[in-house]
């Protein structure tokens, strides 16, 4: 069993900042990839950023230069620092843990945390 618990969402004005956290527990290993995805109303869930256990990162073009993903392997926690927020960043943000199973992968998700960017 894998549990992912997000925190840190909220309402912020355009240009503001928020920091999301996701704490993992259960049958989870720090060697696997973790990341953040988001889903706005009427849209599909989309990748925001991912990070490997070694610290290699990948970002969606829309957040490059504004968002920073990081992780603490000892705490099995992943963070998303979001700066210069825009109204189009408004969405439910989901933490993701990806476990390789042979040639396949299995995704685990947190419950999501709402981020609203509005004046």
């Amino acid at each position: 069993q894998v549990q992912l618990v997000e925190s840190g969402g909220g309402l912020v004005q355009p240009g503001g900042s928020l920091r999301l956290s996701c704490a993992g527990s259960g049958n989870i290993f720090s060697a696997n990839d973790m990341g953040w995805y988001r889903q706005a109303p009427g849209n599909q869930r989309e990748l925001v950023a991912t990070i490997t256990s070694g610290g290699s990162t990948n970002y969606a073009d829309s957040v490059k230069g504004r968002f920073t993903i990081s992780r603490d392997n000892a705490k099995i926690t992943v963070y998303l620092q979001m700066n210069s927020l825009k109204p189009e960043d408004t969405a439910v943000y989901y933490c993701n843990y990806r476990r390789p199973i042979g040639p396949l992968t299995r995704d685990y998700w947190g419950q999501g945390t709402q981020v609203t960017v509005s004046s």
Side-chain angles (χ1 to χ4, degrees), residues 12-25:
V12 63
Q13 293 186 342
S17 298
L18 282 175
R19 188 190 194 213
L20 306 183
S21 299
C22 171
S25 63

Side-chain angles (χ1 to χ4, degrees), residues 51-71:
I51 186 168
T52 68
S53 60
S56 296
T57 57
N58 179 51
Y59 294 94
D61 288 343
S62 59
V63 307
K64 283 180 180 177
R66 300 188 298 121
F67 291 11
T68 302
I69 189 170
S70 60
R71 65 188 288 171

Side-chain angles (χ1 to χ4, degrees), residues 1-6 22-37 45 49-53 69 71 73 75-78 94-101 104-111:
Q1 193 77 343
V2 171
Q3 294 85 39
L4 301 169
V5 179
E6 301 109 331
C22 171
S25 63
N27 190 18
I28 190 168
F29 301 98
S30 62
N32 294 331
D33 295 352
M34 298 187 74
W36 290 94
Y37 289 69
R45 191 171 296 187
T50 61
I51 186 168
T52 68
S53 60
I69 189 170
R71 65 188 288 171
N73 288 334
K75 297 180 180 179
I76 311 182
T77 299
V78 62
Y94 295 92
C95 178
N96 170 263
Y97 169 72
R98 178 159 293 171
R99 170 184 290 164
I101 304 175
L104 305 176
T105 58
R106 179 174 178 177
D107 286 315
Y108 296 85
W109 301 95
Q111 81 285 355

